[in-house]
Amino acid sequence: MKKQLILLCALAFSASLHVTAQSFKKQVSAHPELSANNYLAYPTPSGKLTPAPSGYLPVYLSHYGRHGSRYLIHAQQYLRPIETLERADSAGVLTNEGKDVLKKLHLMYAESYKRWGELTPLGAQQHQQIARRMYRRFPSVFRDSVWVDTKSTDVIRCILSMENELQELIRHNPRLRIRHDASAHDMYFMNQSDKKLSHQRDSSAVKNTIDEWGKRNIDTKPLMARLFNDKEYVAKKVDAGQLAFDLFSLASIVQNSEIRHSISLYNLFTSDELYRLWERSNAWWYLRYASAPQSGGKQPFSQRNLLRKIITDADSCLALPHPGATLRFGHDTMVMPLTCLLNLNNNDISVSDIDSLNLKGWSSTRIVPMAANIQFVFYKNPKKPNADVLVKVLLNEEEATLPLPKTSTPYYYRWSDFKKYYLAKLNSYHE
């Protein structure tokens, strides 16, 4: 628990902070879990919220969140490195450190067996805690018998994430009226598939950028030397790059399961190796889901239907005397482009040189940890019915900036300005 608390405190980035490459490298050295990118266990938020302007109360909450901590999605992600190390062990070329790693991988495989991609107990706890904080922070939203309308993608880890949040909300207020659904009917906005943007995301330009960066910056030889005692065997029998990335993924995912209490794979890597592997993963996320020129510069628009739905649902609910909440549960591949489409905390950047990402403060770690979420909190002044409706956006429960005209109170924006700006942006996109 203490170790987890230290980690969470280390991740409490200020929304406007541009984390330099050197400072984040030091953080990875002190807390290797931070290198995990989208495998990072959800960080506890700072708890700091700017008070609403005088007379304003939260009346409605809209949300899109990623499922909580999970196991790796494919059995092959466990079996591929296990089989590589087992063959080497049979050939007598595995070092003692390599044998120790193999034992740990077997334990991880046993824990996750036939649970590929499923929510872990920690993932369930994360959503219970998010709901608890949501209720305590915005009690006027969840008062009396208001409706809480929830939708999930039709993936079990997302459905269970939704149910864990709902159970926690009902525990705090049994009078809440709940609607919950998970249907292919809603995937056009909950988990949109866009052939054109997917094609650009999978382009040779993206693949070549990642491959060339890896060749320049990632040296797998020291890691292979720690695992194997025969260089010639490695050269002929081992895909060193694949094995390095597999082991990095496995080291990263441990923090999300119960086995985290007994094993770690981070001692296999140097802090510099972890940082380089994090950089590669960070670049991968940027190239595929942000406004990278290599993938056409339009990837955030994959979430255009979701943002339109958020806007129309909000207008409909705000017309009610007691709007309640609209909660949606999906995936990191929605949270990331939606964050960029909204340009939360200036994350919608376009750079050709991916080495400059860190200098510009672009970090997938801060955007899509396990259970990542975006909350839109709406405020009204009950004593002034004609006053502006205000909206504040939280990214992973921390206040975020928007590219909108400022009001007298930081992080609070006029809903009319929000709609005007983002509808114009959505209308500017042509499929």
Side-chain angles (χ1 to χ4, degrees), residues 41-241:
Y42 188 69
T44 299
S46 66
K48 298 177 180 178
L49 290 181
T50 303
S54 178
Y56 275 86
L57 291 173
V59 295
Y60 172 64
L61 190 146
S62 182
H63 152 284
Y64 189 96
R66 182 193 184 193
H67 57 78
S69 287
R70 61 164 170 80
Y71 300 101
L72 292 178
I73 291 176
H74 304 291
Q76 191 64 14
Q77 291 175 279
Y78 296 91
L79 289 174
R80 186 169 50 215
I82 286 175
E83 290 167 356
T84 297
L85 295 179
E86 283 182 337
R87 285 194 297 269
D89 195 25
S90 297
V93 297
L94 210 56
T95 64
N96 288 336
E97 188 166 4
K99 291 179 180 181
D100 181 61
V101 170
L102 180 56
K103 289 178 182 177
K104 290 178 179 179
L105 298 193
H106 277 297
L107 291 172
M108 292 179 64
Y109 179 72
E111 182 196 36
S112 60
Y113 183 65
K114 291 192 175 181
R115 290 188 177 277
W116 327 124
E118 291 183 8
L119 198 71
T120 65
L122 179 60
Q125 293 169 21
Q126 289 161 352
H127 282 282
Q128 293 162 10
Q129 292 164 356
I130 290 170
R132 191 177 309 141
R133 288 189 293 268
M134 193 184 289
Y135 185 88
R136 290 175 177 172
R137 281 174 152 185
F138 312 114
S140 54
V141 169
F142 299 99
R143 66 177 184 171
D144 302 328
S145 58
V146 299
W147 280 100
V148 178
D149 187 75
T150 63
K151 293 186 184 298
S152 168
T153 65
D154 50 3
V155 176
I156 190 62
R157 60 181 175 272
C158 301
I159 296 171
L160 290 175
S161 295
M162 172 178 70
E163 297 303 331
N164 272 280
E165 286 210 19
L166 289 178
Q167 287 179 18
E168 186 66 22
L169 288 173
I170 292 171
R171 191 177 73 82
H172 282 80
N173 180 4
R175 292 175 295 170
L176 290 173
R177 291 180 288 175
I178 303 295
R179 283 187 291 250
H180 47 148
D181 193 18
S183 171
H185 175 272
D186 298 316
M187 292 309 102
Y188 76 96
F189 70 90
M190 286 292 295
N191 190 3
Q192 182 179 0
S193 177
D194 188 304
K195 291 183 178 179
K196 179 182 177 181
L197 292 176
S198 294
H199 178 73
Q200 293 174 327
R201 191 167 65 233
D202 296 327
S203 68
S204 57
V206 171
K207 184 179 184 301
N208 292 339
T209 301
I210 286 288
D211 289 347
E212 290 170 6
W213 188 92
K215 290 176 183 177
R216 292 196 314 271
N217 294 282
I218 296 179
D219 181 9
T220 60
K221 292 186 182 66
L223 175 60
M224 295 303 110
R226 293 194 287 274
L227 294 169
F228 308 97
N229 56 32
D230 188 328
K231 291 182 181 179
E232 186 175 346
Y233 178 91
V234 172
K236 292 181 178 180
K237 302 288 187 179
V238 178
D239 184 340

Side-chain angles (χ1 to χ4, degrees), residues 41 45 61 137 191 248 258 268 346 365 386 422:
L61 190 146
R137 281 174 152 185
N191 190 3
F248 174 62
E258 296 308 289
L268 176 61
N346 298 310
T365 300
N386 296 322
Y422 288 112

Side-chain angles (χ1 to χ4, degrees), residues 11-31:
L11 200 67
F13 297 113
S14 166
S16 61
L17 179 64
H18 277 210
V19 182
T20 65
Q22 191 61 32
S23 66
F24 189 73
K25 190 173 183 178
K26 289 180 180 178
Q27 290 181 25
V28 168
S29 180
H31 304 285

Side-chain angles (χ1 to χ4, degrees), residues 308-363:
R308 283 191 188 277
K309 185 66 171 161
I310 288 169
I311 292 171
T312 56
D313 282 353
D315 270 342
S316 296
C317 291
L318 288 168
L320 301 172
H322 303 294
T326 306
L327 310 180
R328 309 169 188 88
F329 297 84
H331 307 270
D332 48 5
T333 49
M334 278 77 246
V335 175
M336 173 63 80
L338 179 60
T339 296
C340 295
L341 184 60
L342 292 164
N343 195 16
L344 297 182
N345 297 332
N346 298 310
N347 274 304
D348 190 28
I349 63 172
S350 178
V351 296
S352 297
D353 179 11
I354 58 174
D355 283 315
S356 66
L357 285 176
N358 294 350
L359 296 175
K360 292 183 176 293
W362 200 93
S363 169

